[in-house]
């Protein structure tokens, strides 16, 4: 198992040494630093409901810290930071970032290591952070178990990772690009990605602050992207951790777009969408619980079919073969079941259009030329629009005493 873990890490490291995805140009441009910091404040303080004061005089370790563009905000909020990354080039830049931008009288360390290395000090920390990392490992659940061991009792884990459903469209994009470019031809992948998915890429640059090239390498060239579900996260953490918050919120229907792209008050314009949760909280009767249980049972089949569908392109890479016959069959089954559901139908209208567009794409995946593929993608109303799925879901968990 260790051999497999190290092999995946080596392959991912090759991509990151060539074009690091964690660079947001905070070192070169003070304005970009302030924007990055503001985005993280919106994410951590507003969307994840984690107060700034929690970082004051705290010991924090950041796994997969990269170039320190996130860790430096933790530091500015008052944390003593230990940055862990297996990419020495990234750590060298992180040292420069901290030398220029770190808060005075804070103690910071830089450790070249993998999540799976035993050489990391077994010290416990007030806050453990890992954003955009574990889904690039051979075993996200094992990686999560590993980093969670560093959290103190009553300490917090800040986690950002891909899910199969959130990354479904981007895995689909990886599959499409592979029809027109070899996995090892990075320049050709860059060209085709820009030709087909420029809307998603420029949107990612706008809200994430990274270069187009970095986004392409992280999303389409990266050899390992394996999502982990919320249930898998809970199972990996076990009873030692309690759920604190998430963004997008897993507890209520809000927005499933990237939380970096919206402000908290956007939902004040759509207050009636909270009616379902308000009714449930207001009455909290056995009658409404029974209705809720019935809805849960009806959605179980859709949930299972959704998993079957997304698994077709989950962890797509150059060594994985996609069975299009099975893909089409799973999509047909999913469409059939979904089209018959009447639960909160007004919310599902957009998803019905998405299924129709997805079905047409899969049926013609082996037939379209590059020009035809671009024409079809441009004609879609839902598929590959806006962010083209969700790169990371963000969570905070608290370790029990």
């Amino acid at each position: 198992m260790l051999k497999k873990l190290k092999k995946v890490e080596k392959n991912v490291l090759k991509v990151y040494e060539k074009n690091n995805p964690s660079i947001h140009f905070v070192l070169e441009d003070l304005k970009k630093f302030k924007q990055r910091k503001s985005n993280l404040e919106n994410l951590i303080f507003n969307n994840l409901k984690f107060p700034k004061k929690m970082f004051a005089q705290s010991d924090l370790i950041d796994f997969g810290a990269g170039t320190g563009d996130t860790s430096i905000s933790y530091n500015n909020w008052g944390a003593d930071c230990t940055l862990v990354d297996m990419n020495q080039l990234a750590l060298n830049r992180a040292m420069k970032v901290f030398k220029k931008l770190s808060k005075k009288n804070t103690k910071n360390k830089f450790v070249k290591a993998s999540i799976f290395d035993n050489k990391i000090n077994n010290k416990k920390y007030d806050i453990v952070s890992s954003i955009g990392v574990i889904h690039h490992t051979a075993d996200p659940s094992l990686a999560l178990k590993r980093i969670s061991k560093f959290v103190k009792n009553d300490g917090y884990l800040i986690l950002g990772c891909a899910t199969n459903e959130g990354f479904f469209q981007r895995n689909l994009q990886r599959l499409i690009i592979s029809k027109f470019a070899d996995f090892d031809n990075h320049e050709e992948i860059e060209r085709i990605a820009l030709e087909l998915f420029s809307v998603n890429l420029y949107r990612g640059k706008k809200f994430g602050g990274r270069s187009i090239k970095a986004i392409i390498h992280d999303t389409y060239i990266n050899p390992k992207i394996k999502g982990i579900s919320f249930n898998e996260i809970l199972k990996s953490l076990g009873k030692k951790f309690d759920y604190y918050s998430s963004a997008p919120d897993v507890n209520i229907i809000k927005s499933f777009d990237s939380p970096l792209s919206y402000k908290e008050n956007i939902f004040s314009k759509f207050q009636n969408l909270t009616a379902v949760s308000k009714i449930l909280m207001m009455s909290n009767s056995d009658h409404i619980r029974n209705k809720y249980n019935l809805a849960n049972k009806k959605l179980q089949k859709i949930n299972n079919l959704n998993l079957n569908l997304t698994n077709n392109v989950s962890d797509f890479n150059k060594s994985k073969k996609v069975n299009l016959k099975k893909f089409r069959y799973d999509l047909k089954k999913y469409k059939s079941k979904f089209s018959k559901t009447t639960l909160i139908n007004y919310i599902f209208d957009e998803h019905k259009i998405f299924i129709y567009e997805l079905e047409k794409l899969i049926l013609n995946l082996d037939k379209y030329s590059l020009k035809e593929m671009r024409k079809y993608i441009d004609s879609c109303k839902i598929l590959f629009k806006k962010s083209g799925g969700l790169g990371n879901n963000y969570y905070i968990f608290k370790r029990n005493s």
Side-chain angles (χ1 to χ4, degrees):
M1 181 62 183
L2 183 60
K3 187 176 180 181
K4 181 181 178 182
L5 293 172
K6 291 298 182 181
K7 182 179 179 181
V8 170
E9 285 184 337
K10 185 178 180 180
N11 291 336
V12 172
L13 182 58
K14 283 182 181 179
V15 174
Y16 284 0
E17 285 179 333
K18 185 176 180 180
N19 203 300
N20 198 293
S22 66
I23 295 177
H24 297 81
F25 305 102
V26 301
L27 188 61
E28 293 82 4
D29 189 334
L30 186 59
K31 185 177 179 181
K32 289 186 183 294
F33 166 63
K34 290 180 178 178
Q35 182 60 54
R36 174 65 178 167
K37 188 177 175 184
S38 175
N39 286 343
L40 289 169
E41 286 172 349
N42 181 47
L43 171 63
I44 303 292
F45 306 155
N46 295 334
N47 290 304
L48 289 171
K49 312 297 182 187
F50 197 66
K52 182 179 180 180
K53 66 180 181 181
M54 301 298 287
F55 293 91
Q57 297 180 325
S58 67
D59 278 331
L60 182 150
I61 187 168
D62 191 3
F63 285 99
T67 56
D69 289 19
T70 297
S71 311
I72 191 62
S73 290
Y74 296 151
N75 169 269
N76 276 213
W77 300 335
D80 290 330
C81 295
T82 297
L83 285 72
V84 179
D85 203 281
M86 58 183 183
N87 185 348
Q88 187 62 56
L89 296 175
L91 284 176
N92 291 344
R93 181 180 169 88
M95 292 176 195
K96 293 178 181 178
V97 168
F98 269 70
K99 184 176 181 180
K100 181 178 180 180
L101 300 169
S102 65
K103 188 175 182 179
K104 291 182 179 179
N105 301 319
T106 55
K107 299 176 182 179
N108 306 292
K109 299 177 183 178
F110 304 86
V111 181
K112 183 180 182 298
S114 153
I115 286 174
F116 302 107
D117 284 343
N118 292 321
K119 64 182 181 182
I120 303 174
N121 194 315
N122 285 326
K123 174 183 174 181
K124 304 291 185 181
Y125 293 82
D126 300 307
I127 301 173
V128 172
S129 172
S130 182
I131 292 179
V133 178
I134 67 170
H135 54 269
H136 294 311
T137 68
D139 192 334
S141 293
L142 184 61
L144 180 56
K145 288 178 183 178
R146 171 67 176 157
I147 65 175
S148 68
K149 291 180 180 179
F150 291 84
V151 185
K152 280 183 181 178
N153 289 341
D154 291 324
Y156 293 87
L157 170 65
I158 301 174
L159 179 68
C161 57
T163 65
N164 279 348
E165 58 272 19
F167 218 85
F168 176 71
Q169 288 194 60
R170 299 187 191 186
N171 271 320
L172 196 59
Q173 290 173 338
R174 285 162 66 92
L175 173 60
I176 291 169
I177 290 172
S178 75
K179 296 294 178 182
F180 305 106
D182 185 87
F183 259 102
D184 297 320
N185 192 336
H186 295 179
E187 289 184 2
E188 189 68 0
I189 289 175
E190 288 177 23
R191 184 185 70 81
I192 292 172
L194 272 169
E195 183 170 347
L196 296 179
F197 308 118
S198 60
V199 172
N200 308 140
L201 291 169
Y202 280 100
R203 190 176 188 273
K205 179 184 178 182
K206 177 182 178 182
F207 291 112
R210 299 185 295 173
S211 69
I212 296 292
K213 194 179 186 74
I215 297 171
I216 289 174
H217 278 245
D218 195 27
T219 308
Y220 307 126
I221 295 175
N222 196 313
K224 192 68 174 180
I225 304 174
K226 181 175 174 58
I228 180 170
S229 70
F230 182 63
N231 287 343
E232 288 172 323
I233 291 171
L234 293 178
K235 184 178 179 181
S236 298
L237 293 177
K239 295 181 179 180
K240 293 181 180 179
F241 284 83
D242 288 329
Y243 168 79
Y244 179 89
S245 63
S246 58
D249 195 335
V250 296
N251 279 334
I252 191 171
I253 296 172
K254 286 186 175 179
S255 170
F256 292 94
D257 194 2
S258 170
L260 293 175
S261 67
Y262 62 78
K263 299 294 183 181
E264 183 189 18
N265 63 5
I266 189 173
F267 303 111
S268 64
K269 298 178 181 178
F270 311 108
Q271 294 181 15
N272 290 334
L273 289 180
T274 65
V276 175
S277 60
K278 286 181 179 179
I279 291 168
L280 290 172
M281 287 186 286
M282 184 177 180
S283 58
N284 199 28
S285 65
D286 288 337
H287 173 72
I288 203 70
R289 283 174 181 265
N290 290 338
K291 291 281 188 181
Y292 196 78
N293 287 332
L294 180 62
N296 185 59
K297 290 178 181 178
K298 286 186 175 182
L299 287 171
Q300 182 178 358
K301 184 67 174 178
I302 291 178
N303 190 36
N304 291 338
L305 292 173
N306 180 281
L307 180 62
N308 291 342
L309 179 63
T310 58
N311 274 339
N312 281 287
V313 288
S314 176
D315 193 27
F316 182 74
N317 55 72
K318 69 178 180 180
S319 62
K320 179 173 180 175
K321 301 293 184 182
V322 174
N323 186 334
L324 288 178
K325 185 177 179 180
K326 182 180 181 299
F327 199 166
R328 292 173 184 131
Y329 173 78
D330 290 339
L331 178 56
K332 183 179 179 180
K333 293 276 288 184
Y334 181 62
K335 177 188 176 185
S336 175
K337 186 66 179 178
F338 187 84
S339 63
K340 294 174 183 176
T341 184
T342 57
L343 297 170
I344 44 179
N345 209 37
Y346 52 89
I347 293 177
F348 290 153
D349 285 343
E350 185 176 278
H351 196 59
K352 288 179 178 178
I353 298 171
F354 171 80
I355 292 172
Y356 169 79
E357 292 174 344
L358 174 60
E359 183 179 43
K360 187 175 179 181
L361 172 69
I362 298 303
L363 287 171
N364 293 286
L365 191 59
D366 287 333
K367 301 175 185 177
Y368 282 153
S369 65
L370 182 60
K371 184 178 180 181
E372 289 170 327
M373 182 64 75
R374 179 178 178 178
K375 184 178 180 180
Y376 178 69
I377 290 172
D378 289 344
S379 72
C380 290
K381 295 180 179 179
I382 307 298
L383 185 63
F384 303 139
K385 294 300 184 280
K386 294 181 70 177
S387 60
L390 184 64
N392 279 320
N393 274 47
Y394 298 88
Y395 311 91
I396 294 181
F397 295 89
K398 183 180 179 182
R399 187 181 181 105
N400 300 320
S401 301

